[in-house]
Amino acid sequence: MKSVLLNKDAAIIGRFAPTPSGPLHFGSLVAALASYCHSKSQQGQWLLRIEDVDTPRVVRGSDRQILQVLEAFGFEWDGAVMYQSDQFECYESRLSDLIELELCYACECSRRTLKQAGAKIGPLGLNYPGICRDRNLDPKDHSIRIITESVRTSGFTDQVFGPIEINIHAQVGDFVLRRADGIYAYHLAVVVDDAQQGINQIVRGADLLESTCLHLYLQQVLGLPAPGYLHIPLIKNIRGGKLSKQTGATAVDTTQASALLVSAMRFLGQSIEPDMDHAGPEEVINHAVKVWDPANIVPEANYNKTIL
Ligand code: GLU
C-alpha cells in the first residue's frame, strides 16, 4: 500500500476519512482529492482514517477496496492508516472524562418517544427536548447524551462557505455520544481521532457543515485543539440528495482514473489543463496540487455529468 513515513515536523496535517460502507464513489473521490491537494499544496501531510465506528454499516472488505482504488488513482498517504475500530478504548476514556465533568446523562428515548413528545426537526434531525436529563438512569444499556444547556451559539468561519452558526441547545439539543447498542457516535469519534492524529486542516463534504459546530463544542469541553475547516460542495444525485452509497452511488472506474480526477477538479472550480485527462493519474494529481486554489471553489457548484 502507498504509504510514506510520517514527517512529524509538517505544519499542515490533513486527512481523508472514508466510511467503509461500500466502494469509493465520485463524491468521495472529490473529497479525497480536495483534502489531498489542500495538504500537499502547503507541503503538509495527508493521513487516512477508515471510519468503521458504526460497525453495522461496515461492508466487509470495502476498506481494502477503498485503499486499492486510492492507490490506483495515484494517491499516496502518510504513515499508517488509522481504523476507528482500534480506537474504542480512547472513545471510552474521553466519554468517562465527560461523565466525570457531569456533562452527560443516560437516555432511553426512542425516535417514537421524541416524535410523540413533539420534538422539532432541526438541522441535524430531531431536536432532543431533554426528557431524560434529570432521570438519573443507569448508563448501561442506554444511550449517553451530552448536556448542551450552556451552549447558545457555536460557529466558525468555513474557508468556502463563510460564517456558519447554530444554536446547539435550541436547534439540536443534548446529542448522543454513545448509542444504546454501545456504538460510539461519529461526533465523539471524529474529534478524538482528529486530535490523536494531529489533524489541523479538515477538508470534507458540506453535509457536515452544521455537525462541525458540535465538533467545536466537543473539542472545547475535551480541551482539544480546533482544526481549520473547509467544506466542499456536495455532488448531488438526480433527486437532489447527497450522492452516497446508501442512495446507490456507483463505484468509480479505475480505468477512467485521469478523466475522473480532471472532472473532480473542474467540479472544484480548479483551472486544470484541458489535455490532462490523457496523462497518467499521478501526473494529474501532481498538477492538481500545483494549481490548487481553494478560493476558486464555488459553494453552490453543481455537478454536471457532461464535464466528464
Ligand atoms: N466518514 C465520513 C464519510 O465517509 C466523513 C467524515 C469526516 O470527514 O469527518 O462521509
Side-chain angles (χ1 to χ4, degrees), residues 3 26 155 224 231 238:
S3 142
F26 188 67
L224 302 173
H231 289 82
I238 42 172

Side-chain angles (χ1 to χ4, degrees), residues 15-19 28 49 51 186 190 194 202-205 207-208 215 242 245:
R15 48 67 157 183
F16 175 53
T19 302
S28 320
R49 180 165 76 234
E51 298 216 312
Y186 157 72
V190 76
D194 282 332
I202 293 183
V203 176
R204 60 184 178 191
D207 53 322
L208 292 164
H215 301 168
K242 181 193 174 190
K245 293 154 203 159

Side-chain angles (χ1 to χ4, degrees), residues 263-274:
S263 186
M265 285 298 275
R266 293 215 180 111
F267 172 74
L268 292 163
Q270 306 299 306
S271 54
I272 192 114
E273 303 285 328

Side-chain angles (χ1 to χ4, degrees), residues 51-128:
E51 298 216 312
D52 56 353
V53 69
D54 190 353
T55 40
R57 278 185 63 204
V58 170
V59 172
R60 267 185 70 187
S62 61
D63 59 327
R64 303 292 308 167
Q65 204 183 2
I66 289 171
L67 299 183
Q68 277 159 8
V69 169
L70 288 174
E71 204 173 334
F73 272 79
F75 290 101
E76 268 191 12
W77 52 91
D78 296 291
V81 179
M82 175 186 267
Y83 277 74
Q84 289 187 322
S85 49
D86 293 332
Q87 289 280 95
F88 294 163
E89 274 176 27
C90 302
Y91 307 149
E92 189 54 48
S93 128
R94 290 307 197 164
L95 185 63
S96 306
D97 293 346
L98 295 175
I99 292 173
E100 213 145 281
L101 288 168
E102 299 188 347
L103 273 175
C104 294
Y105 62 89
C107 165
E108 64 174 4
C109 294
S110 62
R111 282 182 68 79
R112 212 164 97 198
T113 323
L114 294 188
K115 282 190 180 148
Q116 280 165 356
K120 295 199 182 71
I121 308 252
L124 295 171
L126 285 174
N127 178 357
Y128 187 69

